[in-house]
Amino acid sequence: MKMEIVCAGVGGRGVLLASTILIETAIKAGFEAMASDEYGMSQRGGSVVSLVKIGDCKSPLIGRENADILLSFEESEFYRNLAFLKRGGMAIVNTRKGFLRDGIGNLLKERNIKCHFVNADDIASRKGSMQAANMAILGYFSYFKQGPYMLGAIEETIKEKTKGKFVEKNLEIFDAGYRYGEK
Amino acid sequence: MKDVNMEVMIGNYSIARGLVEAGLELAAAYPGTPSSEIIPGIIEFNKREHGHIHAEWSTNERCALEVAFGAASIGRKAACMMKQVGLNVAFPSFLGARRKKIKGGLVIICCDDPGPQSSQTEQDTRLIATLLNIPVLDPSSAKEAGDVAYYAMEYSYEHKVPVIVRSTHRVSHARENITLYQIGTRKVALNEGIGEAGVKGSRGQGVKGKRENGGHPNHSITQSLNHSSASSYPLSAKFGIVASGMSFSIAMDVIFELNLTQRIPIYKVIKVNPVDPDIYDFVDNAGRVLVLEETDSVLEAMIHRGNKVFGRRNGYVPGAGELTYDIIRGIIEQIVEEMGMEERTFFPDYSIEEALKEIRFPPRPPRLCAGCPHRASFFAMRYASPEAIFPGDIGCYTLGISMGAVDTCIDMGGGVNLASGFYNACNQDETFTPIIASIGDSTFFHAGLEPLYDATKTGKRFILVIMDNSTTAMTGMQPTPQTGMTADGVKTHSIKIEDMVRGFGIDFLKIIDPYSIPLMVETIREAHAYLVLDNHSAHKPAVIIARRECLLSAKGKHEALLDTINIEQDCIGCKSCIKLFDCPALIFNDEKRKVTVDEGLCTRCGMCLLVCAMKRPRKGQNK
Ligand code: SF4
Ligand code: SF4
C-alpha cells in the first residue's frame, strides 16, 4: 500500500500533532511511514504543511498532483495546497461554508476529486476547546476508513500522543467529528 | 507490532541518538534552524540512559566549536552543532582546529538550509569542508542521519580528525520510525554507490546502514567506504544519476513513480569528502550523468566531466533553492525525453492555478505572531520617528521589515555595527538623521556586545532598542544568559543586559514594557533629544531595553485587554490597523468591509486599538 497525505493549516493549531497521529497510527498497523514538516519563521499564524507518506517510499516529500488526501485545517490553506491533490483524490476542508466557488468546484469535479466540508472549529468550540479542531478533522477523516485510519486505531494513538488532561476532551471532539460523518 | 526499541523522531533527534550511542561526552551548540533540536535530543537521551554527557547552549557558534575542540583535544568524544551560517561565526576556530591533532573525537554537525526557509542565505557546508579537506558526510534521510552521526564519531575518534555531518532542513525535520540501540552497540557501515535499491527500486538494504555486517570502520580517510559493488548493475547505462542528501531519496521516489527504476541507475554519495573513487567508474561507464545535490556544485565539480554531466553548469539543475520533488521530477523527465529514452508522462495541470486566481485567500507572509511584543516596539519606533534609518538584526524581529521598521539585515549583531556606519556617514556634519537600530536579547549576547562596545568607544550617536523577550524564540525557546537557566533546565546565575550596557559607560538606558506604546514613543523621542545635545556625555549610543516575555512563554499569563472594546463594531474599514500593525489576527472581511478578528489567533493584547483611527490612544489600555 502507498498513501500520500498533505496536512495543511496555520501555526499553533495542531497540524503537526495531527500528522504525528497519522504516522504513528500507520506504523502501529505495520506500515512504513514518514513525514516532512514545513513551518515558516514565526511561530503562530503562518502556513504549516506536513507531508505524510505511508508505505513504500524513500523520501517524505510529495510532488504536485500526487497526494491521495488533503486534510486542510483552515480553509485558505486548502486552496494554497490544492495542487498537491491527484485526480481521484479526496479532501477534507475545515470551513464555515459548505460549498466551493464555481470555477474551483467544476475543476475538482472534472478531476474527480471528492471534497468534504466540515465546520471543525464549530464542533470543537461547542465542546469547549476551539484549539482542538484538529481532532474533529481527524474524527471526520476516520469516518471514511482510508487505509489504516479506522476510528479505533486513531483513538488509540490519540490516547498515547496527547497529554494527560487533554486526552478526554480530544477524544470527545474526535468522536464528534466522526459522528458528523455519520450524519 | 510496535517494536519497543523504535520511536518516531525527527532527523535531529536521530542525530542526537546516534551521537549518544557513539559515546558522546560533551556537546555544545548555538541554536539555529534547522539544527536547534539536536541539543535537546542529546539531553533527553542522556537522561534516559542515565549518562554523564555535558550539554550546553553556547553564546555563539565559535564558543561552541572551541569548547568542543578543547574537550576533544584532551581525549573526549565531543560534538558541536550549528546552522550553516553559524559555521561562519566559528570559522576562525574551524580553520585552526582542522590541522591540530585531537586525542578524542570531534564531530561538527552543521545543518544547511536550502531554499532558504529560515535563513538570510543559502550556504553549502560540503563545499567549505571539501575546500579545507575535512571529511564531510551527507545523510539522505532522518534514519540515515543517526547512523551517519554514529559513524562520524567513531571515525573521528579513530582517525583523530574532525568530521562534519552536514544535514539539511528536509533531513533534520523529517520524521521517521527510528531504531534505538544500546550505547556502543550500533553497527554502521555507510552504504554508498549503487545499492540494490538502485536496481530494484524497493526500500532495500542498499541505502540503509547495514547493521548486520557492519563493524568498526577502520579504513583511512582516503580508503573507500563499504558499499555494494557497482558490478551489480549493467555498467553501460545510457543515463545514470549521481545524488546525495535528500535529493537522492527524492530521485529514488521519482524514478519509481515514472517507472524508470530498471533503466536509470542511481549512484548514492554519503561521504562527499573524500569521495569514493568508484564514482568515476560509474560516471565513465554511463552515457550521460545527472548530478543532484543541495545546494552548490560540489560533486559536479569533483566529477568534472564537462558536458557529459547534466547539472548546474549547463543549466539543467537550478543554481539556487531547494531541489523539490517537482523540480527533480521535471529535470529527469526533460533529460529522459531529450535522450529519446521515454516520452514525458507527467504534465503539470496548471488549470488548478488558473482556477485559483479567482479565489481570494489571505496571503501568509512570514509575520510576527499575533500579540508579539516586538510588534509594539516596531510600531513605536516608526511612529516616533518615521524618517529614521532602521538597521535590523537576525531573529523573530527581522520580521519587523513588514512594518517598515527594519531596513537592513546582514548577520547577527550586524545591525549595531551598521548603525555606527550610518552615524558617521550621515551625521559627521551634525545634521542628525535619526538612527534606530534593533536587536534581540539572544542576538545581543551572541554578537551585539562587541559592536556596542565599539560604538561607545568611538562615540557613535544612535538609538539601540534591545528587544528582550527573555528567550531565543525563533529557534524554539532556548534560554538566554539572562534567564539564568542551563540547557537542561538547571538554575544558574543570570547575566543582565542592563548591567552590561551600564558597564560600557552608556548613561541613557531605559527599560520599558513595549505594550505601553505611548511610553515607548515618548522614550524614543527623549533618547533622540539626548543624542542631539551639544554635550560630550551624549557622544554614545542611547539604549532602550523593550522588555516583555515572548508571547509563547507568557501564554495566558497577561491580562486580556481587548475585552473592554469591541473592535469590529466601530470599524470603518480604513485598514490602518492592518497596514500599520500587521497583526495576523486582523483580517479584512470583503463582504462586511470591516476588519474582523480571528479568534483562534488573537491574544487579546489590545495593542491594535492604539492604531485604530476610531479609538484614541490609551483607550482600553490600562497602563
Ligand atoms: S515567537 Fe515570540 S518573539 Fe517570535 S514572533 Fe512570536 S511572540 Fe514574537
Ligand atoms: S488584540 Fe489586536 S493586536 Fe493583539 S493579537 Fe488581537 S488582533 Fe492582534
Side-chain angles (χ1 to χ4, degrees):
Chain A
M1 194 205 61
K2 208 172 161 218
M3 192 186 258
E4 305 193 356
I5 306 173
V6 176
C7 301
V10 295
R13 303 290 293 276
V15 179
L16 298 186
L17 175 60
S19 80
T20 302
I21 288 169
L22 295 177
I23 314 172
E24 299 265 358
T25 306
I27 288 169
K28 270 192 287 173
F31 297 102
E32 299 245 16
M34 43 176 120
S36 173
D37 305 326
E38 190 173 311
Y39 29 88
M41 295 210 266
S42 52
Q43 307 276 337
R44 298 172 80 249
S47 297
V48 176
V49 181
S50 182
L51 309 174
V52 177
K53 274 164 95 174
I54 300 152
D56 233 13
C57 45
K58 296 208 65 61
S59 83
L61 295 156
I62 298 180
R64 67 174 287 145
E65 295 163 59
N66 270 6
D68 302 277
I69 292 154
L70 169 59
L71 299 181
S72 12
F73 297 75
E74 207 274 338
E75 189 181 341
S76 61
E77 297 306 307
F78 162 73
Y79 297 114
R80 219 186 295 284
N81 292 284
L82 193 54
F84 274 118
L85 208 49
K86 71 173 179 198
R87 286 175 181 273
M90 159 186 165
I92 290 182
V93 192
N94 176 16
T95 170
R96 259 176 297 163
K97 303 191 202 95
F99 57 88
L100 293 170
R101 302 264 182 87
D102 265 4
I104 271 291
N106 293 339
L107 180 92
L108 296 186
K109 206 178 286 163
E110 183 231 307
R111 301 177 61 80
N112 198 17
I113 287 171
K114 274 176 223 59
C115 233
H116 304 279
F117 305 99
V118 55
N119 190 345
D121 291 339
D122 186 54
I123 293 177
S125 50
R126 269 168 206 257
K127 300 268 174 206
S129 176
M130 167 85 174
Q131 296 304 326
N134 57 347
M135 293 295 143
I137 293 170
L138 286 179
Y140 185 45
F141 175 52
S142 70
Y143 167 77
F144 296 94
K145 302 187 173 48
Q146 302 284 315
Y149 298 118
M150 302 301 191
L151 181 78
I154 305 185
E155 263 174 356
E156 274 311 301
T157 321
I158 293 175
K159 276 185 211 154
E160 284 167 26
K161 285 288 138 186
T162 56
K163 280 176 224 123
K165 56 176 179 172
F166 296 115
V167 175
E168 219 137 279
K169 191 64 11 226
N170 282 345
L171 286 176
E172 194 187 329
I173 294 169
F174 174 81
D175 203 54
Y178 181 84
R179 275 188 282 109
Y180 181 86
E182 285 183 324
K183 280 202 283 219
Chain B
M1 280 146 288
K2 189 173 169 181
D3 191 321
V4 279
N5 292 321
M6 291 189 93
E7 210 169 291
V8 175
M9 58 177 98
I10 59 168
N12 279 346
Y13 265 62
S14 173
I15 290 171
R17 183 71 206 181
L19 290 172
V20 171
E21 286 178 18
L24 180 73
E25 293 168 288
L26 178 141
Y30 183 76
T33 313
S35 71
S36 315
E37 300 85 1
I38 303 174
I39 282 275
I42 289 169
I43 290 170
E44 153 95 26
F45 292 125
N46 183 49
K47 259 187 212 146
R48 279 200 223 168
E49 303 294 339
H50 308 291
H52 299 286
I53 302 170
H54 171 80
E56 67 187 27
W57 287 121
S58 311
T59 298
N60 59 37
E61 293 84 356
R62 179 188 152 202
C63 296
L65 197 145
E66 285 171 359
V67 166
F69 177 74
S73 63
I74 59 161
R76 299 292 184 177
K77 286 183 173 172
C80 62
M81 299 90 200
M82 59 198 69
K83 69 181 295 176
Q84 89 281 17
V85 285
L87 189 61
N88 306 342
V89 177
F91 209 60
S93 26
F94 181 61
L95 280 176
R98 78 193 158 119
R99 289 278 171 257
K100 305 271 187 312
K101 267 283 172 212
I102 50 174
K103 280 197 189 136
L106 177 61
V107 176
I108 301 163
I109 312 271
C110 199
C111 299
D112 289 3
D113 187 11
Q117 291 196 358
S118 47
S119 309
Q120 277 61 44
T121 174
E122 293 184 322
Q123 180 172 301
D124 192 333
T125 299
R126 303 172 314 147
L127 181 62
I128 298 162
T130 307
L131 287 173
L132 298 173
N133 200 21
I134 294 173
V136 57
L137 300 136
D138 189 14
S140 68
S141 69
K143 196 174 275 191
E144 194 172 72
D147 284 347
V148 161
Y150 187 97
Y151 177 95
M153 184 55 83
E154 290 210 314
Y155 191 96
S156 171
Y157 194 78
E158 196 155 326
H159 298 282
K160 308 300 175 205
V161 290
V163 174
I164 297 183
V165 175
R166 184 298 282 258
S167 177
T168 58
H169 67 76
R170 289 296 183 188
V171 171
S172 281
H173 290 161
R175 284 183 281 161
E176 269 190 87
N177 204 18
I178 284 160
T179 311
L180 282 68
Y181 300 88
Q182 278 182 345
I183 291 176
T185 65
R186 198 190 280 232
K187 302 269 187 285
V188 182
L190 299 186
N191 216 345
E192 298 191 292
I194 320 173
E196 293 164 59
V199 183
K200 291 180 187 144
S202 68
R203 213 182 140 79
Q205 278 298 344
V207 287
K208 292 184 192 167
K210 259 198 188 158
R211 281 138 195 164
E212 62 286 343
N213 66 354
H216 292 276
N218 57 358
H219 27 254
S220 83
I221 302 184
T222 47
Q223 262 174 345
S224 96
L225 296 158
N226 178 17
H227 63 87
S228 40
S229 140
S231 64
S232 63
Y233 205 86
L235 284 172
S236 53
K238 197 169 175 187
F239 169 47
I241 297 174
V242 172
S244 81
M246 187 51 84
S247 304
F248 166 80
S249 303
I250 296 175
M252 292 289 284
D253 280 352
V254 166
I255 61 163
F256 182 78
E257 179 195 334
L258 301 177
N259 217 349
L260 292 165
T261 321
Q262 298 298 327
R263 306 180 53 194
I264 305 178
I266 302 188
Y267 188 101
K268 177 190 192 178
V269 180
I270 300 174
K271 205 165 185 188
V272 176
N273 186 52
V275 77
D276 194 299
D278 280 2
I279 196 174
Y280 297 105
D281 294 339
F282 177 83
V283 174
D284 290 338
N285 285 324
R288 304 282 298 269
V289 171
L290 166 66
V291 180
L292 294 170
E293 59 186 326
E294 279 175 334
T295 50
D296 281 332
S297 307
V298 179
L299 294 172
E300 190 179 340
M302 277 187 214
I303 290 170
H304 196 62
R305 289 290 188 279
N307 258 339
K308 178 172 185 168
V309 170
F310 298 107
R312 294 205 163 87
R313 290 177 176 185
N314 53 14
Y316 279 81
V317 178
E322 198 187 342
L323 295 184
T324 62
Y325 193 98
D326 293 336
I327 289 174
I328 291 179
R329 178 168 55 189
I331 298 169
I332 293 175
E333 283 233 300
Q334 181 192 348
I335 293 173
V336 160
E337 193 183 33
E338 275 181 23
M339 293 185 65
M341 289 168 68
E342 188 98 22
E343 291 289 299
R344 250 166 205 267
T345 55
F346 181 83
F347 296 93
D349 175 3
Y350 291 117
S351 64
I352 302 172
E353 278 78 357
E354 276 305 312
L356 286 176
K357 273 188 193 152
E358 294 167 25
I359 306 214
R360 305 227 298 181
F361 45 89
R364 296 197 195 279
R367 282 195 286 192
L368 294 164
C369 298
C372 175
H374 299 336
R375 173 173 289 105
S377 300
F378 284 129
F379 176 77
M381 283 159 60
R382 229 190 104 96
Y383 187 84
S385 189
E387 73 288 2
I389 302 173
F390 297 105
D393 224 288
I394 312 269
C396 281
Y397 41 87
T398 308
L399 302 170
I401 288 178
S402 65
M403 296 179 70
V406 168
D407 293 327
T408 67
C409 159
I410 48 169
D411 64 343
M412 290 182 80
V416 186
N417 281 327
L418 285 180
S420 286
F422 288 138
Y423 168 72
N424 285 116
C426 303
N427 297 330
Q428 259 160 346
D429 54 0
E430 309 266 303
T431 48
F432 289 108
T433 306
I435 298 162
I436 312 178
S438 54
I439 190 168
D441 50 339
S442 178
T443 308
F444 180 68
F445 283 111
H446 176 285
L449 285 164
E450 288 139 301
L452 184 60
Y453 160 65
D454 215 47
T456 314
K457 187 184 74 177
T458 53
K460 314 290 184 203
R461 292 194 253 181
F462 59 83
I463 301 170
L464 174 65
V465 179
I466 302 176
M467 298 185 174
D468 176 12
N469 60 3
S470 51
T471 188
T472 319
M474 188 169 242
T475 50
M477 321 303 279
Q478 294 81 11
T480 67
Q482 194 167 234
T483 51
M485 195 80 83
T486 63
D488 49 3
V490 175
K491 263 216 142 338
T492 170
H493 61 277
S494 140
I495 303 166
K496 295 257 176 294
I497 295 176
E498 50 271 37
D499 293 347
M500 321 275 314
V501 173
R502 277 194 206 104
F504 290 162
I506 288 171
D507 35 37
F508 190 101
L509 171 68
K510 297 271 157 99
I511 302 172
I512 295 178
D513 174 359
Y515 270 19
S516 312
I517 293 178
L519 184 59
M520 186 86 183
V521 170
E522 230 168 83
T523 311
I524 291 169
R525 290 186 175 147
E526 208 183 298
H528 186 67
Y530 158 83
L531 290 176
V532 300
L533 275 184
D534 190 18
N535 163 353
H536 195 77
S537 80
H539 287 257
K540 287 168 205 158
V543 175
I544 298 169
I545 300 177
R547 179 170 287 158
R548 182 175 263 267
E549 254 185 311
C550 167
L551 178 102
L552 298 185
S553 36
K555 244 176 205 165
K557 266 189 269 164
H558 55 74
E559 67 283 21
L561 296 171
L562 200 63
D563 286 334
T564 53
I565 290 169
N566 181 350
I567 187 175
E568 289 169 33
Q569 183 184 295
D570 297 334
C571 179
I572 52 163
C574 72
K575 292 195 189 173
S576 63
C577 62
I578 292 184
K579 277 186 240 144
L580 296 170
F581 221 60
D582 198 40
C583 175
L586 297 170
I587 295 156
F588 192 73
N589 185 317
D590 286 314
E591 286 150 36
K592 295 190 198 153
R593 307 221 46 82
K594 272 180 183 225
V595 168
T596 52
V597 176
D598 179 334
E599 296 297 331
L601 286 176
C602 173
T603 63
R604 310 193 103 31
C605 70
M607 286 186 295
C608 55
L609 294 174
L610 283 160
V611 192
C612 177
M614 299 305 286
K615 303 287 173 201
R616 324 196 91 232
R618 286 179 192 276
K619 206 169 175 188
Q621 182 88 2
N622 54 15
K623 268 198 198 136

